[in-house]
């Protein structure tokens, strides 16, 4: 053993990421009696996407009482749709309440991890030093690393350039000519916030989005008091929000034509908000509602009708100094460019950093598309679990429900390892490739009927047009299929008992 190897810290579990997924995993491990774990976070604070996204108007598009853990309810949500500061504060309280702080390793970006077949553990290289772990839980999340398109000439732009998830609060937008690229869930929130302050705003819209009214309001102190003193009312409210979304699942997964009523609501919202027929036509999508993410806003359309706003119905194609050129040839001058262009969903950086048992990286394993057994474990990667893995995303409900289901799976996974290993042996589980392939075939067959596969270009699809992100069912079904680990889907690996190892040849050492 080298000096480097002797200096490595060893833990039972290494959790990567401290957003909802990572903190949820930490809480569940503690509740299972497992305290030998660390939470590795690349930043200097916890929170994941709710730490990174601080752009003006940042808020959740899932109702507050459904966007929290069932084991950590918050009766004091201030609004139906809470803003980033309140969600970030919720995660901070969660960290303190469940005693997660001692397990945190901040400023500890994972730069590489490799499976050791002989010792049955993972070797991790982090910014704060090396360590080994029997089990790795990757909770890096799909909304972590911003995606900025490769626009010719962008590097020569003389003004300020940033992504919405890395908002430059030190740059004063007041009086500036600002170009916004993208019309997704972030852009429709920050555009109305900055529009009154800028001298001119140009929105580059490659594809218009379907937008429906946002039924937001302040939650009264009386409601908060009631939810605090009578928990049953809080549970009832959460259950009603969940039930309504479960009833909608079939429209997204089997009968997309049934979404026409929602389409009419969105079209009516557009008509009432935008009087100019030319602008209204530019903002009208040509695809079935739901194929791309449905957006919620009451002030996005009104902001686009203001005199200091131009909508360019085309993507940004080139930058020539301070002149921005759209794909349709439209030119505009700008002092700043803000990208609201989403995240690296199907090509996450962890893919190049994780090397499994067969000498392949996660990216190489997924060269034909991301795939994981029950959205959690990957062929060739023993004792490696993902929170919000392939095909676990939702189009109409709260991802916290998916995360909690995967935490159930994690808990049973750890129990199975204890049973397999006993008191004196290490054990590992790796999903059989045949099981992963069978699971993925069923998912892809179901997705062919879904609204997400009806032909539009969205972040649900990878570069080859495969839907590797969305779960084609309800959250209750996902909870059922992740309730227990089916050992028939796995190959068990066991380290030899100490007595089974070959004796040391002392003569050879002399």
């Amino acid at each position: 053993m080298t000096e480097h190897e002797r200096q490595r810290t060893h833990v039972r579990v290494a959790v990567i990421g401290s957003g909802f997924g990572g903190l949820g995993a930490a809480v569940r491990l503690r509740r299972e009696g497992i305290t030998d774990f660390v939470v590795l976070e690349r930043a200097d604070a916890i929170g994941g996407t709710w730490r990174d996204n601080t752009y003006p108007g940042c808020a959740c598009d899932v109702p507050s009482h459904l966007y929290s853990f069932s084991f950590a309810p918050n009766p004091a949500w201030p609004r139906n749709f809470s803003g980033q500061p309140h969600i970030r504060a919720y995660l901070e309280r969660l960290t303190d309440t469940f005693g997660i702080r001692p397990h945190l390793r901040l400023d500890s970006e994972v730069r590489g991890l490799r499976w050791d077949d002989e010792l049955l553990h993972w070797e991790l290289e982090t910014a704060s030093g090396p360590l080994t772990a029997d089990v790795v839980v990757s909770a890096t999340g799909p909304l972590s690393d911003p995606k900025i398109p490769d626009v010719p000439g962008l590097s020569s732009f003389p003004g300020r350039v940033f992504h919405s998830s890395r908002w430059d609060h030190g740059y004063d937008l007041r009086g500036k000519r600002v170009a916004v690229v993208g019309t997704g869930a972030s852009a429709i929130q920050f555009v109305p916030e900055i529009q009154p302050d800028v001298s001119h705003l140009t929105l580059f819209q490659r594809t218009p989005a379907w937008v429906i009214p946002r039924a937001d309001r302040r939650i009264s102190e009386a409601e908060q008091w009631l939810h605090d003193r009578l928990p049953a009312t809080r549970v009832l409210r959460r259950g009603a929000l969940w039930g309504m979304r479960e009833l909608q699942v079939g429209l997204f997964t089997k009968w997309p034509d049934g979404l026409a009523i929602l389409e009419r609501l969105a079209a009516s919202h557009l008509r009432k908000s935008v009087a100019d027929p030319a602008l209204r036509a530019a903002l009208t999508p040509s695809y079935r509602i739901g194929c791309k993410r449905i957006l919620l806003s009451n002030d996005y359309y009104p902001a686009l009708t203001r005199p200091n706003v131009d909508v360019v119905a085309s993507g940004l194609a080139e930058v020539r100094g301070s002149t921005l050129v759209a794909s349709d040839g439209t030119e505009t001058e700008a002092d700043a460019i803000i990208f609201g262009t989403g995240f690296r969903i199907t090509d996450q950086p962890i893919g190049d950093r994780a090397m499994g048992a067969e000498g392949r990286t996660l990216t190489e394993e997924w060269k034909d598309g991301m795939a994981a057994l029950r959205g959690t474990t990957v062929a060739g990667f023993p004792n490696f679990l993902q929170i919000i893995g392939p095909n676990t995303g939702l189009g109409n409900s709260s991802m916290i429900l998916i995360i909690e289901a995967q935490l159930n799976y994690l808990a049973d996974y750890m129990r199975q390892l204890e049973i397999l290993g006993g008191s004196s042996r290490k054990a590992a589980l790796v999903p059989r490739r045949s099981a992963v392939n069978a699971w993925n075939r069923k998912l892809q067959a179901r997705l062919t009927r879904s609204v997400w596969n009806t032909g539009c270009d969205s972040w649900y699809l990878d570069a080859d047009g495969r839907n590797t992100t969305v779960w084609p069912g309800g959250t209750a079904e996902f909870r059922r299929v992740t309730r227990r680990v089916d050992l028939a889907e796995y190959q068990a690996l066991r380290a030899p008992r100490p007595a089974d190892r070959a004796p040391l040849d002392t003569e050879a050492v002399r």
Side-chain angles (χ1 to χ4, degrees):
M1 179 180 294
T2 67
E3 181 64 24
H4 180 67
E5 290 171 326
R6 278 194 293 271
Q7 291 176 354
R8 284 181 181 269
T9 300
H10 182 79
V11 292
R12 180 70 171 139
V13 184
V15 179
I16 307 175
S18 68
F20 267 97
L23 294 176
V27 172
R28 190 54 188 266
L29 289 170
R30 284 188 62 88
R31 296 178 79 184
E32 290 293 313
I34 300 171
T35 57
D36 182 17
F37 69 88
V38 293
V39 179
L40 303 169
E41 170 55 54
R42 67 182 176 183
D44 60 0
I46 63 100
T49 191
W50 295 107
R51 174 201 60 237
D52 296 339
N53 287 269
T54 60
Y55 59 80
C58 181
C60 190
D61 58 6
V62 174
S64 301
H65 286 278
L66 198 59
Y67 201 76
S68 55
F69 287 116
S70 63
F71 55 78
N74 178 21
W77 288 118
R79 303 194 65 84
N80 277 356
F81 295 91
S82 291
Q84 177 268 341
H86 297 103
I87 298 173
R88 171 79 185 277
Y90 169 81
L91 291 174
E92 293 284 357
R93 288 196 302 273
L94 180 87
T95 302
D96 291 328
T97 300
F98 290 92
I100 306 304
R101 298 267 177 212
H103 300 276
L104 291 175
R105 285 194 182 180
L106 303 176
D107 297 309
S108 296
E109 181 176 16
V110 175
R111 296 168 173 168
L113 58 157
R114 183 182 67 85
W115 175 254
D116 188 312
D117 249 339
E118 182 181 351
L119 298 178
L120 295 190
H121 68 209
W122 285 95
E123 296 181 350
L124 296 92
E125 298 295 334
T126 80
S128 61
L131 74 149
T132 58
D134 295 332
V135 177
V136 167
V137 178
S138 178
T140 55
L143 306 182
S144 299
D145 293 273
K147 180 175 64 175
I148 295 181
D150 185 15
V151 180
L154 181 61
S155 61
S156 65
F157 180 69
R160 196 64 60 97
V161 178
F162 55 90
H163 190 275
S164 60
S165 67
R166 303 293 186 267
W167 196 270
D168 188 347
H169 291 279
Y171 182 71
D172 190 355
L173 292 173
R174 288 176 297 182
K176 301 295 194 305
R177 299 167 299 177
V178 177
V180 175
V181 182
T183 54
S186 299
I188 73 157
Q189 292 183 346
F190 72 73
V191 162
E193 295 290 323
I194 68 173
Q195 173 270 320
D197 295 328
V198 304
S199 67
H200 193 270
L201 189 151
T202 302
L203 179 68
F204 287 85
Q205 173 192 265
R206 188 178 61 178
T207 309
W210 284 109
V211 182
I212 62 175
R214 184 183 182 88
D216 191 22
R217 67 171 178 83
R218 187 179 68 84
I219 297 177
S220 69
E221 291 182 5
E223 289 175 276
Q224 294 180 32
W225 180 90
L226 191 65
H227 291 332
D228 185 38
R229 300 299 178 88
L230 295 174
T233 62
R234 185 181 63 232
V235 173
L236 183 64
R237 185 173 191 159
R238 180 182 174 96
L241 291 168
W242 170 80
M244 286 188 292
R245 281 154 181 79
E246 288 292 284
L247 290 173
Q248 299 168 359
V249 169
L251 299 178
F252 287 84
T253 60
K254 298 177 182 178
W255 310 292
D257 288 345
L259 290 166
I261 186 171
L262 199 58
E263 209 166 278
R264 288 195 290 272
L265 171 65
S268 173
H269 181 49
L270 176 59
R271 282 195 306 273
K272 292 175 182 177
S273 304
V274 179
D276 179 13
L279 178 58
R280 194 163 61 234
L283 295 173
T284 301
S286 60
Y287 53 88
R288 170 66 74 198
I289 193 169
C291 186
K292 293 170 72 77
R293 186 173 176 178
I294 301 173
L295 307 181
L296 311 178
S297 180
N298 298 327
D299 52 9
Y300 175 64
Y301 284 148
L304 301 185
T305 66
R306 301 295 184 254
N308 68 331
V309 177
D310 283 327
V311 175
V312 178
S314 183
L316 177 61
E318 185 182 358
V319 177
R320 300 173 188 162
S322 60
T323 302
L324 311 187
V325 185
S327 298
D328 64 1
T330 302
E331 296 185 5
T332 188
E333 297 291 313
D335 302 308
I337 304 174
I338 305 174
F339 285 95
T341 44
F343 299 86
R344 295 176 60 182
I345 305 294
T346 59
D347 62 337
Q348 300 171 35
I350 191 69
D352 294 323
R353 301 177 186 183
M355 181 171 291
E358 299 170 11
R360 285 198 299 271
T361 65
L362 201 54
T363 298
E364 291 168 335
E365 175 65 31
W366 285 343
K367 61 180 172 49
D368 294 324
M370 299 192 304
L373 179 61
R374 303 181 188 273
T376 309
T377 55
V378 183
F381 287 73
N383 284 7
F384 181 85
L385 297 90
Q386 286 196 301
I387 306 298
I388 312 185
N391 290 110
T392 58
L394 297 174
N396 72 315
S397 193
S398 172
M399 283 304 300
I400 312 304
L401 303 174
I402 293 292
I403 290 172
E404 282 204 46
Q406 291 191 286
L407 299 184
N408 291 339
Y409 199 76
L410 167 64
D412 196 50
Y413 193 100
M414 299 305 297
R415 295 185 204 116
Q416 297 301 328
L417 289 182
E418 287 295 323
I419 294 170
L420 290 168
S423 60
S424 60
R425 302 172 73 184
K426 276 190 179 181
L429 289 169
V430 59
R432 299 181 185 278
R433 195 169 298 279
S434 58
V436 176
N437 291 341
W439 174 262
N440 197 46
R441 279 195 301 271
K442 291 177 183 177
L443 287 183
Q444 295 304 319
R446 291 174 63 178
L447 283 164
T448 57
R449 299 173 58 187
S450 74
V451 70
W452 307 296
N453 286 37
T454 54
C456 70
D457 180 21
S458 75
W459 60 262
Y460 298 134
L461 310 180
D462 64 17
D464 296 314
R466 288 180 293 259
N467 191 330
T468 58
T469 59
V470 186
W471 167 245
T475 58
E477 181 189 0
F478 189 79
R479 193 178 186 93
R480 260 193 327 273
V481 300
T482 52
R483 191 177 301 277
R484 295 282 184 271
V485 171
D486 181 358
L487 289 179
E489 296 178 328
Y490 287 86
Q491 177 185 357
L493 310 174
R494 292 183 179 87
R497 297 181 188 278
D500 297 337
R501 292 176 182 160
L504 180 66
D505 185 348
T506 56
E507 291 296 325
V509 175
R510 292 174 186 169

